[in-house]
């Protein structure tokens, strides 16, 4: 059983929640997925050693997640760029990456009709990611960092790696 793109969204949501309690049903609502999809995603994460169970809780295995996001995600979830469209900013067009690349006039967006930015489109890691990100700023920033690792240039990947490590230290 291999990882699916929604598994990354679920795992990053767990990181964003930190020590806050959650249920499969609450994650399903937050991520616009079914509870069974969330449960399956967490089981795949455990099987892939990106998460583990301890004291009847599922925790993210921070070191393994970092290694996967930095070195493996771009090969498994190949970024799909498209035409210019309206959408929600990502990569160097959104926080926290935008603060590091202030001279960037190019915008990269997740296609979304309710978005407020026009730019080159980049398919999100999972179709419900933009809506979930809009409701959770911490998750949004983690998804932006993941996009920089998945689709960014060398300089962007390097900055995203530093930012990811900083955030995962807070979780772990």
């Amino acid at each position: 059983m291999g990882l699916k793109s929604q598994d990354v969204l679920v795992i990053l949501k767990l990181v964003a929640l930190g020590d806050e309690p959650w249920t499969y049903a609450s994650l399903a609502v937050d991520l616009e997925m079914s509870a069974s999809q969330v449960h399956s995603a967490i089981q795949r994460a455990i099987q892939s050693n990106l998460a583990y169970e301890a004291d009847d809780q599922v925790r993210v295995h921070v070191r393994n997640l970092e290694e996967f996001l930095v070195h493996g995600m771009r090969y498994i979830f190949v970024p799909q760029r498209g035409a210019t469209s309206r959408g929600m900013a990502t990569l160097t067009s959104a926080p926290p990456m935008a603060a590091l690349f202030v001279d960037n006039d190019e915008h990269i967006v997740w296609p979304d009709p309710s978005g407020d930015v026009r730019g080159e489109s980049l398919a999100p890691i999972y179709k419900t990611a933009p809506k979930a990100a809009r409701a959770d700023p911490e998750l949004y920033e983690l998804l932006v960092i993941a996009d920089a690792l998945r689709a960014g240039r060398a300089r962007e990947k390097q900055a995203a790696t530093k930012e990811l490590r900083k955030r995962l230290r807070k979780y772990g």
Side-chain angles (χ1 to χ4, degrees), residues 107-165:
H107 293 290
I108 308 292
V109 300
W110 295 322
D112 183 2
S114 61
D116 54 359
V117 178
R118 287 192 59 75
E120 180 185 359
S121 64
L122 173 68
I125 191 71
Y126 187 66
K127 62 186 175 186
T128 63
K131 198 162 185 179
R134 198 172 278 113
D136 182 345
E138 180 70 20
L139 175 61
Y140 181 29
E141 291 188 3
L142 287 167
L143 288 166
V144 167
I145 292 166
D147 272 353
L149 293 167
R150 180 171 71 106
R153 297 180 192 112
R155 214 172 116 227
E156 297 158 354
K157 288 177 186 174
Q158 185 178 25
T161 299
K162 287 180 184 176
E163 190 64 31
L164 176 68
R165 285 185 178 137

Side-chain angles (χ1 to χ4, degrees), residues 72-89:
M73 188 173 66
R74 68 178 176 232
Y75 300 111
I76 296 173
F77 306 117
V78 178
Q80 297 176 2
R81 293 183 184 246
T84 299
S85 70
R86 174 185 295 270
M88 189 171 179

Side-chain angles (χ1 to χ4, degrees), residues 3-5 7-9 11-12 48-50 61-77 125 146 149-150 164 168:
L3 286 175
K4 295 183 178 183
S5 62
D7 303 351
V8 175
L9 178 61
I11 293 167
L12 291 177
S48 299
N49 207 18
L50 296 178
H61 198 300
V62 175
R63 286 188 185 122
N64 293 354
L65 177 61
E66 177 187 329
E67 182 178 2
F68 171 70
L69 291 175
V70 171
H71 300 291
M73 188 173 66
R74 68 178 176 232
Y75 300 111
I76 296 173
F77 306 117
I125 191 71
L149 293 167
R150 180 171 71 106
L164 176 68
L168 290 179

Side-chain angles (χ1 to χ4, degrees), residues 6 11 13 17 37 44-45 54 64 85 104 116 135 139 154 168 170:
Q6 66 256 36
I11 293 167
K13 179 65 177 180
L17 287 171
Q37 284 178 301
R44 286 188 295 271
N64 293 354
S85 70
N104 188 13
D116 54 359
L139 175 61
L168 290 179
K170 280 195 264 181

